[in-house]
């Protein structure tokens, strides 16, 4: 199992409606009027099978803030971890609790950069990413 935060080649994914997961108590509310409120964030989860070259959309979402984008990534990562065998799920479960990495992701997203979390196993690459998409001026 290899874990990476390097970019994943974006595949064309269908937009699916997203439901915001319950907000953990550790997340602070985003203040409207800050610099990040001028952006929207496109989030996506995908699986890629290198042996066949096929990719599978696991969901997309548009989020108005970096924290909501990260929350969606965490929510989808939990779903992915639930589907993996225990050894393959360990890196995802570790990432779910890694507050320092979450702050790093928020920092990147706030600056308008892309954040990607990628997990590899023997046959599949799972990628969760969020990126700024536009200014709401």
């Amino acid at each position: 199992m290899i874990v990476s935060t390097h970019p994943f080649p974006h595949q064309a994914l269908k937009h699916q409606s997203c439901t915001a997961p319950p907000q953990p108590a550790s997340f602070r509310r985003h203040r409207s009027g800050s610099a990040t409120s001028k952006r929207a964030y496109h989030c996506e989860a995908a699986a890629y099978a290198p042996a066949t070259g096929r990719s599978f959309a696991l969901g997309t979402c548009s989020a108005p803030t970096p924290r909501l984008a990260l929350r969606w990534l965490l929510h989808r990562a939990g779903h992915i971890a639930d589907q993996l065998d225990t050894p393959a799920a360990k890196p995802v479960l570790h990432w779910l609790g890694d507050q320092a990495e979450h702050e790093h992701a928020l920092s990147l997203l706030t600056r308008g950069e892309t954040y990607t979390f990628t997990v590899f196993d023997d046959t599949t690459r799972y990628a969760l990413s969020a990126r700024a998409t536009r200014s709401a001026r």
Side-chain angles (χ1 to χ4, degrees):
M1 175 69 62
I2 301 168
V3 178
S4 168
T5 55
H6 296 289
F8 177 72
H10 289 355
Q11 305 290 327
L13 300 176
K14 295 180 186 176
H15 179 76
Q16 300 172 358
S17 63
C18 59
T19 305
Q23 183 172 355
S26 63
F27 282 109
R28 288 174 255 135
R29 294 242 179 239
H30 174 72
R31 295 180 189 179
S32 62
S34 71
T36 57
S37 65
K38 296 179 182 178
R39 290 190 177 113
Y41 298 86
H42 176 76
C43 310
E44 61 188 34
Y48 177 69
T52 64
R54 294 188 62 193
S55 62
F56 305 91
L58 302 177
T60 65
C61 180
S62 180
T65 68
R67 286 196 183 277
L68 291 175
L70 178 60
R71 188 170 6 144
W72 187 85
L73 294 178
L74 293 167
H75 185 73
R76 292 303 296 145
H79 289 176
I80 291 168
D82 288 344
Q83 301 299 312
L84 297 173
D85 292 334
T86 302
K90 281 185 180 183
V92 180
L93 296 173
H94 175 77
W95 180 77
L96 286 170
D98 189 345
Q99 293 299 316
E101 184 63 21
H102 301 166
E103 290 301 320
H104 172 69
L106 289 172
S107 176
L108 288 174
L109 292 170
T110 300
R111 291 192 314 256
E113 297 179 38
T114 299
Y115 177 79
T116 303
F117 173 71
T118 306
V119 177
F120 301 85
D121 69 10
D122 293 337
T123 61
T124 308
R125 174 186 303 171
Y126 298 92
L128 297 127
S129 67
R131 61 183 167 83
T133 57
R134 62 174 159 66
S135 176
R137 294 178 195 187

